[in-house]
């Protein structure tokens, strides 16, 4: 793999031990994937921020970097942590957990990473442009920026992205190359998907059956909005390893079927009926439960989504026996405050939580066992990341709101 003189100096340790280690990891990755050279990047988004998933070894690694004076070289943002930094006590997060979580975030901040603590950095601070190469490591953000924004990132691990942020480069390989963004599997959906719930379910269904590295090309009978596409991608990436999809006539690299497949024929073809999705839902999610938590905002809720919830709820209130929590970014929370929705929702029994989410926070430690969510990704991960202490049922926003408000 060709390296510039400066890259060789980084590798040889002229800029310190940690940049050399970072470069070594990236070069090894590049050589394994036949990359010809490195490419400079200007932005990164780093996951592995919740103490629940990262653990003590990650804190120690980051603190060692801090002691050695490491700083990231490019604009870098952080994924959600394991708790709301302001409301953690009120939400019942254990004190020990909170201390370790703060240590972890502090270390990232000392490295120069911006503590956005959101998995939707593209809503505000960190929104890549079309065709821009970036290093992102949150699977839902990876699939969103590739498919919907047309920016270019591989599905990286958090240490890969941290390394890329330290040296400001990544190996030019995988989805950074146009030819690897070609669709592989044509998927005709013989149904009219509608709403985040339905698109999330479709994403889970397809992600669950696709082989790794496949890029699905959807032909749909309905026209999804941007947040429905986001739900589709999050579901695909949760149940499988999909990092990119196309929707013919809608996503930016798929004006028509030919463009999506870059002139090739699909390797595989699949037709999906509404009944397939319903059978999948019945097989994977509990038939019905009385929820003790409503969890909305996976990926982190947008202003539009929260406004829609406010509109649907009207003047009703959440019943006393259920928690209704919406997870979002600080940026969106501030916007809600500015337009006067935040207080009204809180008075109606809905908590707007930032910095964290239902999957990476320790909800099981709060005694939560049964969750309703409109997110395919959250429904998929909650049982796995709580060691089956909690189950989740995926439902549409209307179903959820009608069930738990009066
Ligand atoms: Fe975001 Fe948590 Fe879902 S990080 S994508 S809300 S699992």
């Amino acid at each position: 793999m060709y390296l510039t003189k400066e890259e060789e100096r980084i590798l040889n340790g002229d800029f310190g031990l940690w940049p050399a280690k970072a470069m070594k990891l990236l070069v090894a990755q590049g050589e394994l994937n036949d990359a010809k050279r490195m490419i400079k990047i200007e932005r990164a988004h780093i996951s592995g921020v919740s103490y629940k998933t990262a653990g003590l070894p990650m804190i120690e690694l980051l603190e060692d970097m801090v002691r050695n004076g490491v700083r990231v070289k490019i604009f870098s943002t952080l994924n959600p942590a394991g708790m709301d930094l302001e409301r953690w006590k009120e939400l019942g997060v254990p004190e020990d957990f909170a201390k370790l979580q703060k240590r972890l975030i502090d270390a990232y901040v000392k490295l120069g990473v911006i503590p956005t603590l959101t998995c939707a950095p593209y809503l505000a601070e960190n929104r890549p442009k079309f065709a821009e190469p970036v290093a992102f490591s949150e699977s839902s953000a990876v699939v969103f920026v590739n498919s919907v924004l047309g920016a270019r990132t591989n599905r990286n691990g958090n240490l890969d992205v941290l390394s890329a942020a330290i040296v400001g480069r990544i190996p030019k390989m995988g989805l950074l190359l146009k030819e690897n963004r070609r669709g592989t599997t044509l998927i005709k959906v013989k149904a009219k998907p509608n709403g985040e719930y339905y698109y999330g379910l479709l994403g889970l269904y397809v992600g669950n059956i696709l082989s790794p590295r496949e890029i699905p090309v959807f032909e749909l009978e309905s026209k999804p909005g941007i947040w429905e596409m986001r739900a589709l991608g999050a579901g695909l990436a949760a149940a499988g390893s999909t990092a990119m999809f196309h929707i013919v006539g809608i996503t930016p690299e798929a004006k028509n079927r030919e463009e999506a497949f870059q002139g090739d024929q699909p390797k595989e073809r699949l037709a999906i009926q509404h009944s397939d999705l319903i059978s999948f839902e019945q097989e994977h999610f509990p038939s019905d439960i009385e929820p003790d938590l409503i969890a909305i905002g996976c990926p982190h809720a947008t202003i539009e989504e929260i406004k829609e919830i406010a509109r649907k709820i009207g003047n009703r209130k959440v019943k006393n026996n259920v928690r209704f929590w919406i997870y979002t970014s600080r940026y969106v929370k501030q916007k809600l405050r500015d337009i006067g929705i935040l207080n009204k929702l809180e008075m109606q029994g809905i908590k707007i939580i930032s910095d964290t989410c239902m999957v990476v926070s320790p909800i099981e430690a709060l005694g939560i066992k049964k969750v309703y969510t409109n997110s395919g990704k959250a429904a998929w991960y909650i049982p796995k990341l709580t060691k089956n202490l909690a189950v989740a049922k995926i439902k549409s926003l209307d179903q959820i709101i009608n069930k738990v408000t009066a």
Side-chain angles (χ1 to χ4, degrees):
M1 180 174 172
Y2 170 78
L3 295 182
T4 63
K5 286 223 157 42
E6 192 188 353
E7 287 160 358
E8 274 179 2
R9 288 187 60 205
I10 300 173
L11 189 63
N12 292 334
D14 290 4
F15 299 93
L17 178 67
W18 278 107
K21 282 189 181 187
M23 189 57 113
K24 197 169 169 191
L25 187 144
L26 295 170
V27 168
Q29 204 182 52
E31 286 182 342
L32 203 67
N33 290 281
D34 293 328
K36 303 267 182 291
R37 62 184 181 88
M38 290 281 172
I39 182 171
K40 286 192 176 181
I41 53 168
E42 290 177 4
R43 58 178 88 236
H45 181 71
I46 302 170
S47 62
V49 186
S50 166
Y51 178 70
K52 175 175 167 175
T53 50
L56 195 57
M58 191 66 193
I59 298 181
E60 290 169 348
L61 179 87
L62 295 171
E63 289 179 343
D64 192 39
M65 290 183 181
V66 172
R67 276 192 297 279
N68 283 284
V70 176
R71 299 279 296 174
V72 294
K73 260 184 111 166
I74 56 174
F75 182 71
S76 307
T77 50
L78 275 190
N79 224 33
M83 63 186 199
D84 185 314
L85 293 190
E86 282 161 10
R87 303 183 85 171
W88 62 271
K89 267 195 188 153
E90 173 198 338
L91 298 172
V93 174
E95 189 109 27
D96 289 354
F97 183 95
K99 267 195 197 141
L100 290 159
Q101 181 61 77
K102 282 184 189 161
R103 243 177 91 186
L104 209 159
I105 295 171
D106 279 356
Y108 273 120
V109 170
K110 285 179 185 151
L111 293 176
V113 183
I114 317 285
T116 46
L117 304 177
T118 179
C119 51
Y122 43 78
L123 291 181
E125 301 91 343
N126 202 350
R127 187 180 175 93
K129 297 185 283 293
F130 181 80
E132 179 182 350
V134 296
F136 273 36
S137 67
E138 152 59 42
S139 69
S140 69
V142 164
V143 71
F144 181 83
V145 304
N146 272 324
S147 317
V148 180
L149 302 184
R152 298 182 179 186
T153 177
N154 284 306
R155 185 168 161 157
N156 303 289
N158 65 325
L159 288 181
D160 305 332
V161 177
L162 184 56
S163 300
I166 290 169
V167 300
R169 293 162 168 82
I170 37 173
K172 195 170 181 192
M173 61 183 217
L175 292 175
L176 304 186
L177 300 167
K178 185 168 184 336
E179 62 268 29
N180 295 334
R181 299 169 70 81
R182 175 190 308 131
T184 59
T185 309
L186 180 63
I187 299 182
K188 281 185 177 258
V189 182
K190 305 266 185 212
K192 288 206 187 315
N194 179 18
E196 276 93 338
Y197 146 78
Y198 203 98
Y199 275 94
L201 193 60
L202 176 63
L204 290 180
Y205 179 85
V206 175
N208 196 43
I209 52 179
L210 277 189
S211 316
R213 291 178 184 256
E214 298 296 314
I215 298 184
V217 176
F218 290 93
E219 286 188 346
L220 300 175
E221 289 179 2
S222 48
K223 191 172 175 211
I226 185 168
W227 308 126
E228 290 170 323
M229 288 194 273
R230 185 173 78 146
L232 172 68
L236 282 166
S241 53
T242 309
M244 179 169 188
F245 64 85
H246 300 286
I247 303 176
V248 174
I250 294 183
T251 53
E253 293 168 71
K255 275 183 222 71
N256 47 47
R257 192 197 282 186
E258 197 184 13
E259 187 184 53
F261 287 99
Q262 295 184 15
D264 276 3
Q265 287 301 311
K267 280 200 317 199
E268 275 184 78
R269 291 165 195 262
L270 208 65
I272 297 173
Q273 320 284 339
H274 175 71
S275 56
D276 296 323
L277 300 182
I278 298 308
S279 309
F280 179 83
E281 185 183 359
Q282 285 165 352
E283 183 189 341
H284 288 274
F285 302 108
S287 58
D288 221 350
I289 50 176
E290 279 305 312
D292 41 29
L293 172 68
I294 305 303
I296 309 291
C298 173
H300 269 176
T302 62
I303 295 175
E304 293 81 3
E305 196 176 1
I306 300 174
K307 277 185 176 168
E308 192 190 350
I309 292 170
R311 189 180 53 74
K312 284 181 191 286
I313 286 196
N315 290 321
R316 287 180 281 174
K317 285 199 167 168
V318 178
K319 293 176 187 164
N320 284 335
N321 60 346
V322 62
R323 303 160 170 105
F324 194 130
W325 293 354
I326 301 178
Y327 297 89
T328 189
S329 65
R330 285 177 176 220
Y331 170 84
V332 167
K333 190 169 177 178
Q334 184 55 45
K335 292 263 170 207
L336 295 173
R337 198 174 277 124
D338 294 346
I339 56 177
I341 289 185
L342 185 69
N343 272 349
K344 182 168 184 289
L345 287 176
E346 295 264 345
M347 299 287 287
Q348 289 172 290
I350 296 178
K351 287 195 192 303
I352 308 291
I353 299 175
S354 58
D355 310 331
T356 187
C357 79
M358 65 295 264
V359 172
V360 299
S361 63
I363 56 165
E364 64 281 16
L366 315 181
I368 289 165
K369 296 242 169 9
K370 290 166 282 172
V371 182
Y372 272 7
T373 176
N374 65 341
S375 159
K377 176 171 178 173
W380 194 255
Y381 274 133
I382 283 171
K384 295 176 178 60
L385 283 183
T386 59
K387 302 195 177 81
N388 284 319
L389 285 169
V391 293
K393 173 84 185 151
I394 178 171
K395 293 223 172 223
S396 71
L397 266 184
D398 285 319
Q399 288 171 321
I400 291 174
I401 289 170
N402 290 337
K403 171 104 182 163
V404 302
T405 58

